[in-house]
Amino acid sequence: ETRTTNNERQQTTLTPQTQRIASRSQQTPNPRHPPPFLSNSIPAKMFDMFGGFNGNKLKAQLKMAVSRFQIASNKKTAIVKQDMRKVALLLAEDPPKEEKARIKAEALIREDNMIEAYDILSLECELLSERIKLLEFSKECPDDLVACVSTLIYATPRLDVPELVQVRKQFKAKYGKKFDEAAMCNSNGVLNERVVTKLSIQPPAAYLVQTYLERICQQHEVNWKPSVSLSAAQMCEPMAAPSGFSVPVGQATGLGLVAASTGIESAESMKNDDTTINSGSVMTEVTATPVLPTAPSAPTSGGGDFDEVDLYIPAAPGHQNAKPSAPSAKSDDDDDKKNNNNNIPPPAPGANGGGADGSYADLAARFDNLQNL
């Protein structure tokens, strides 16, 4: 009797537990909502991690991305104003540091493009957060939201916004890998063209850079004009690499001309060029003119190694008392030798008539032959 009563008690105690197990087994599990006995355990977290799309998590990340965009935009705006003052100071110097100012102006253009892209993406995040129920209960992406979703996926690797990474994961889990790849490649041309242009890595045109510099000078009341004029073709192309024409030479010592010269330059050529040395002057091009060696002049007195032997020419007949005339000093060149023939005194008319003149002409011809040897 005692055994039967104990068995009955065990059956009565086990009956409610068996009923609970049976009721749980009859319930169909919901993949999006874990069972209650896993609500506070580690498998429940793993279920949320690998469960796929979560509308509440996506909405929270979109709201956080909007706040992130606003903070980054305000920060960049303050930095841009400081950089504009620096550009104005560079152009106000004498001489103006134009090349460095152009580089900073290009950075200002890029910051403006980034702020503009932040504002557009912030609007798209707000739209998606308001229509989160439509995204949650639709299997395919709605046609009016394809551009917004694809643009956010495209901008994620190009911006340093961690919230967009989580947003992209949610969209990839919802619409699949093919949708993500199509958005990255812009296969159907659904991306926002303005965002694609502002996030491009291509440098701005030279015309836009020069326009920024002119507007900055007007805003800060700086009298500046570009020293290098650009052609129409150069205006449409990106800014050329700096050549260093705006960098002063010899800034520490102020000896710009001495530091820039690379060869021998005569003092006479510097005087003829009327060049002035200024400590702050900018030298665009310096050319050294070497001094050419001059031909040696004929010695005035004997005793040199390069002296020529004087030739004796007898006087004309009828003038025996006259002293013989020595030839003038000659140079080594043949042209100078020919010119020295003009220095020989003409023969004086002899007393004996034509015979004397003929003998003197023969001697002069022989002298010319000796000179030509």
Side-chain angles (χ1 to χ4, degrees):
E1 293 179 357
T2 57
R3 291 179 180 177
T4 55
T5 55
N6 291 332
N7 292 332
E8 290 177 356
R9 290 177 181 177
Q10 290 178 358
Q11 290 178 359
T12 55
T13 56
L14 294 175
T15 300
Q17 184 177 3
T18 55
Q19 291 178 355
R20 292 175 184 174
I21 294 174
S23 62
R24 289 175 183 174
S25 61
Q26 292 178 358
Q27 294 178 357
T28 57
N30 190 353
R32 294 187 179 178
H33 301 284
F37 62 89
L38 295 177
S39 59
N40 296 325
S41 60
I42 296 176
K45 296 180 181 179
M46 295 178 63
F47 184 84
D48 292 338
M49 183 181 299
F50 299 102
F53 180 77
N54 189 348
N56 295 328
K57 185 176 181 180
L58 176 61
K59 185 175 181 179
Q61 294 295 331
L62 290 172
K63 291 290 186 181
M64 293 172 64
V66 173
S67 301
R68 178 81 65 176
F69 286 140
Q70 188 66 31
I71 294 172
S73 180
N74 295 336
K75 183 177 180 180
K76 286 183 178 296
T77 302
I79 294 175
V80 164
K81 291 182 179 180
Q82 296 178 0
D83 292 341
M84 290 177 65
R85 298 191 196 98
K86 294 180 181 179
V87 172
L89 292 176
L90 291 174
L91 296 177
E93 294 184 6
D94 186 22
K97 296 182 179 179
E98 184 174 342
E99 291 178 313
K100 190 172 183 179
R102 288 181 183 274
I103 297 174
K104 287 188 174 295
E106 186 173 342
L108 292 176
I109 296 172
R110 191 170 298 278
E111 294 297 332
D112 278 348
N113 294 339
M114 193 65 64
I115 293 173
E116 189 174 345
Y118 283 167
D119 293 340
I120 298 174
L121 294 174
S122 177
L123 294 175
E124 293 181 349
C125 289
E126 290 181 357
L127 177 62
L128 293 176
S129 64
E130 293 297 329
R131 299 185 183 181
I132 193 65
K133 293 297 181 181
L134 178 62
L135 296 174
E136 187 175 358
F137 289 100
S138 59
K139 294 182 179 180
E140 300 293 335
C141 184
D143 296 337
D144 55 342
L145 297 179
V146 172
C148 294
V149 175
S150 300
T151 303
L152 288 177
I153 294 175
Y154 176 83
T156 299
R158 292 167 174 80
L159 298 176
D160 189 13
V161 180
E163 289 78 9
L164 288 183
V165 178
Q166 300 299 327
V167 171
R168 182 183 178 184
K169 289 181 179 179
Q170 292 293 323
F171 287 139
K172 188 176 181 180
K174 176 69 174 177
Y175 302 116
K177 186 177 181 181
K178 292 183 178 179
F179 185 88
D180 183 83
E181 293 177 354
M184 293 300 297
C185 299
N186 194 15
S187 58
N188 298 324
V190 296
L191 298 180
N192 191 327
E193 296 181 359
R194 193 173 175 185
V195 174
V196 174
T197 303
K198 299 305 176 181
L199 296 181
S200 176
I201 60 175
Q202 296 297 327
Y207 174 75
L208 185 60
V209 175
Q210 187 165 341
T211 304
Y212 262 66
L213 294 178
E214 292 176 356
R215 296 297 176 85
I216 291 173
C217 291
Q218 292 178 2
Q219 184 175 355
H220 293 83
E221 297 180 356
V222 176
N223 187 11
W224 171 81
K225 291 182 180 180
S227 59
V228 179
S229 59
L230 301 177
S231 61
Q234 293 176 347
M235 287 287 187
C236 300
E237 296 178 355
M239 184 180 61
S243 60
F245 69 88
S246 62
V247 178
V249 182
Q251 303 180 36
T253 60
L255 304 176
L257 186 61
V258 177
S261 60
T262 56
I264 303 173
E265 188 172 2
S266 60
E268 295 180 358
S269 61
M270 294 176 62
K271 291 181 180 179
N272 295 331
D273 294 339
D274 294 330
T275 56
T276 58
I277 301 175
N278 296 326
S279 59
S281 62
V282 179
M283 299 181 61
T284 58
E285 183 178 0
V286 178
T287 57
T289 57
V291 180
L292 297 176
T294 57
S297 59
T300 55
S301 60
D305 295 336
F306 298 94
D307 294 342
E308 294 184 354
V309 180
D310 295 334
L311 298 178
Y312 174 76
I313 300 176
H319 298 275
Q320 298 179 358
N321 296 330
K323 295 182 180 180
S325 61
S328 60
K330 301 178 295 300
S331 63
D332 295 333
D333 298 330
D334 294 340
D335 295 337
D336 296 335
K337 291 179 179 180
K338 294 180 180 180
N339 294 331
N340 288 333
N341 295 334
N342 300 327
N343 298 329
I344 300 174
N352 296 329
D357 294 338
S359 61
Y360 185 80
D362 295 336
L363 292 175
R366 292 175 61 187
F367 176 73
D368 292 337
N369 294 330
L370 291 174
Q371 283 184 334
N372 295 331
L373 291 178

